Amino acid sequence: MTTAPYDFDTPVDRLGTWCVQWDGVPDLLPFTISDMDFACAPPVIDALQRRVAHGVFGYTDWRNDDFRGAVRDWFEQRHDTDVDPGSLVYAPSVLNQISQLLRMWTEPGDGVVVHTPTYDGFRKAVGGLGRELRTVPVDDPGLALLEAELARPGARVLLLCSPHNPTGRVWSDAELAGMAALCERYGVAVISDEIHADLAHAGSTHLPWTRYARGRWALVTSGTKAFNFPSLSGSYGFVGDPDDHAAFVRRMDTGEGLASPAVLSLVAHIAAYREGAEWLDAVRAYTYANLRFVGERLNEAFPELGWVPPQAGYLAWIDLRGVLGDAGDEVLQRELAERQGVAVRAGGTYGAPGHVRLNVGCPRGKVEVGVEALVRGVRAVRG
C-alpha cells in the first residue's frame, strides 16, 4: 500500500544507527518505542540540509518570529485554536517540561493524578521526583472517580495525556470541560501533554487544553512525534499565568542552563508546520490503514476481542485478557521474543497487565509479520 506521492511501503534500514527501537533488540523485529520507521517529511529534510550547508551552528534564540509564528499558525490552521505566542516556552523535551513544572508546582509527597493505563514516562517522572502517583481509569463515566482523586488532600496536579497514550483515546469537549471545572473547584493545576495531538484520525477532533484552561495550567507538546524527528529533540508549550511563565523561562535560562535550543530542532519544527501538512495527512492515512488491518486480522483470529482502532496515533493498544487464558504478561512476552522473534510492549509497563502495545508506524509488510507473530504467540500460550 502506497499513499501517493509518498512511499511508506519501502523499508528503511535503521539497524546500526544507534536506534533505540531496532538496535535495542537487534535479534528481534521491534514494535516497541513510539517512533516511526518512515523517513521524515521531505520539506523537513530539505530545510535541515539547507541549514547544515550554512555550516555555522552557534548559540540560538528560540524567541524568534519564525518559530513563534509557525506554532501560532499551526494551531490556528490545524486545530482551529488561537494561542498566545507570548505565553510560549521552550525545552529539550516534553518530559523535561513536565518535570520542570512539577518542581515548580508541587513538593515531594504531593499527589499527581494520572489516567490509567499510564504512559511509563509519566510514572518515571512523577516517581523520580518523589511525588505520589494517583491513578484513575480512562473509562470514567461522569468523571466521578476523577473528582474523588482531585478532592483528596494533597492532590496538586492533573497530568493529562491528550490524546491519551497508550490507548489512543481523544477526549471529548464535555470531558475536557468537566476536567477543567473539577480542577478549578479543587484548586488542582493541569499539565496537558498533547504530543500526539496531530495524529488524531478522521472522525476524531483533538481539542487543545487552551480552550478550557482555568487557574494554573500548562500545555506541553512538540512536533517531534507526528513528524518523526525525536532525536533532534525540542519541545514547546504554553504556560497560562504570566508569573509562572516568567518563572519557567528563568528556570530554563539559568538554573537549567538551557537558554539556547538545538537550532536544527527549530528548523525542523518551522518546516514541518509551514510545509509538512500534506505529508502528515498521508502518514496518518497510512498508519490508520495499518491499524484497520490489525483489527481485521485479530478479530478474524479471535472474534471475541472485537478490537477497534484507536482514535489517535499509530499505537495499537490491545486487551488480550479475554483470549490469553491463564497466561500472564511474562509468559506471552517470552513466547513472542524467544519463539516468534518479535518485541512488543507489555501492558504491565503501563500498569495494565494482559494488554500489549503494538507500534504500527511502519511499512505494511512489517505490520503483517508482527500481527501474525502475535496471533501465533497468543494461541501458543493459551493452549
Side-chain angles (χ1 to χ4, degrees):
M1 172 187 173
T2 301
T3 306
Y6 307 103
D7 177 12
F8 300 122
D9 282 328
T10 302
V12 177
D13 186 1
R14 301 181 67 190
L15 281 169
T17 63
W18 313 318
C19 169
V20 172
Q21 181 166 191
W22 284 81
D23 290 323
V25 286
D27 298 325
L28 301 176
L29 188 65
F31 299 86
T32 52
I33 196 167
S34 58
D35 64 12
M36 294 183 279
D37 286 338
F38 310 129
C40 199
V44 174
I45 295 173
D46 291 344
L48 290 170
Q49 289 174 334
R50 289 193 298 270
R51 191 64 179 82
V52 169
H54 179 260
V56 180
F57 308 103
Y59 293 114
T60 303
D61 188 357
W62 61 267
R63 305 169 188 84
N64 63 73
D65 290 341
D66 290 334
F67 176 63
R68 291 206 244 195
V71 170
R72 178 199 61 221
D73 293 347
W74 183 257
F75 268 76
E76 179 182 355
Q77 296 161 10
R78 200 75 182 181
H79 301 295
D80 192 27
T81 299
D82 292 329
V83 294
D84 175 16
S87 66
L88 196 68
V89 296
Y90 191 90
S93 69
V94 163
L95 282 174
N96 178 270
Q97 285 191 74
I98 290 170
S99 293
Q100 299 301 336
L101 290 163
L102 289 176
R103 288 188 179 100
M104 289 171 56
W105 294 349
T106 66
E107 299 292 335
D110 282 347
V112 178
V113 181
V114 299
H115 287 95
T116 54
T118 309
Y119 166 48
D120 56 315
F122 284 6
R123 291 173 172 272
K124 294 172 183 175
V126 173
L129 291 172
R131 276 59 172 174
E132 181 186 2
L133 191 75
R134 301 182 178 182
T135 62
V136 295
V138 165
D139 294 319
D140 179 20
L143 304 181
L145 298 175
L146 176 63
E147 180 169 14
E149 282 298 335
L150 296 177
R152 281 181 59 199
R156 297 288 179 265
V157 170
L158 169 62
L159 180 51
L160 179 64
C161 198
S162 179
H164 184 260
N165 176 18
T167 67
R169 178 172 181 161
V170 173
W171 302 103
S172 70
D173 174 72
E175 288 170 328
L176 292 169
M179 292 178 197
L182 289 173
C183 287
E184 181 182 42
R185 180 182 305 167
Y186 295 106
V188 174
V190 177
I191 304 171
S192 183
D193 174 355
E194 304 191 7
I195 197 170
H196 292 269
D198 293 321
L199 294 168
H201 297 301
S204 298
T205 301
H206 169 73
L207 301 168
W209 185 256
T210 53
R211 294 187 177 197
Y212 306 92
R214 311 177 189 182
R216 175 171 267 180
W217 65 273
L219 183 162
V220 297
T221 190
S222 173
T224 58
K225 184 69 64 179
F227 288 95
N228 206 39
F229 54 86
S231 63
L232 293 181
S233 75
S235 72
Y236 63 92
F238 302 93
V239 178
D241 180 78
D243 291 338
D244 283 338
H245 177 270
F248 184 96
V249 173
R250 183 168 58 251
R251 173 184 287 269
M252 299 304 291
D253 285 358
T254 57
E256 300 299 322
L258 294 169
S260 178
V263 65
L264 295 184
S265 177
L266 293 185
V267 169
H269 273 91
I270 294 167
Y273 288 166
R274 291 297 190 199
E275 306 174 70
E278 181 184 78
W279 180 90
L280 177 60
D281 289 340
V283 85
R284 285 192 308 117
Y286 188 91
T287 55
Y288 189 70
N290 279 349
L291 289 164
R292 288 182 61 188
F293 170 80
V294 170
E296 291 167 2
R297 183 65 188 99
L298 285 179
N299 293 332
E300 176 187 40
F302 311 110
E304 61 270 40
L305 277 183
W307 191 83
V308 296
Q311 295 171 304
Y314 50 81
L315 305 170
W317 178 250
I318 306 166
D319 183 353
L320 296 171
R321 289 173 297 177
V323 298
L324 278 178
D326 295 330
D329 278 6
E330 290 185 11
V331 174
L332 178 60
Q333 287 295 313
R334 187 162 56 247
E335 169 69 23
L336 292 174
E338 296 178 3
R339 297 187 58 189
Q340 305 302 332
V342 298
V344 176
R345 280 287 173 91
T349 303
Y350 312 96
H355 296 68
V356 294
R357 196 189 77 170
L358 183 76
N359 180 347
V360 300
C362 57
R364 172 62 65 84
K366 181 186 174 190
V367 175
E368 293 172 354
V369 173
V371 173
E372 290 304 321
L374 180 60
V375 169
R376 290 193 305 268
V378 170
R379 285 173 170 164
V381 299
R382 73 173 184 174

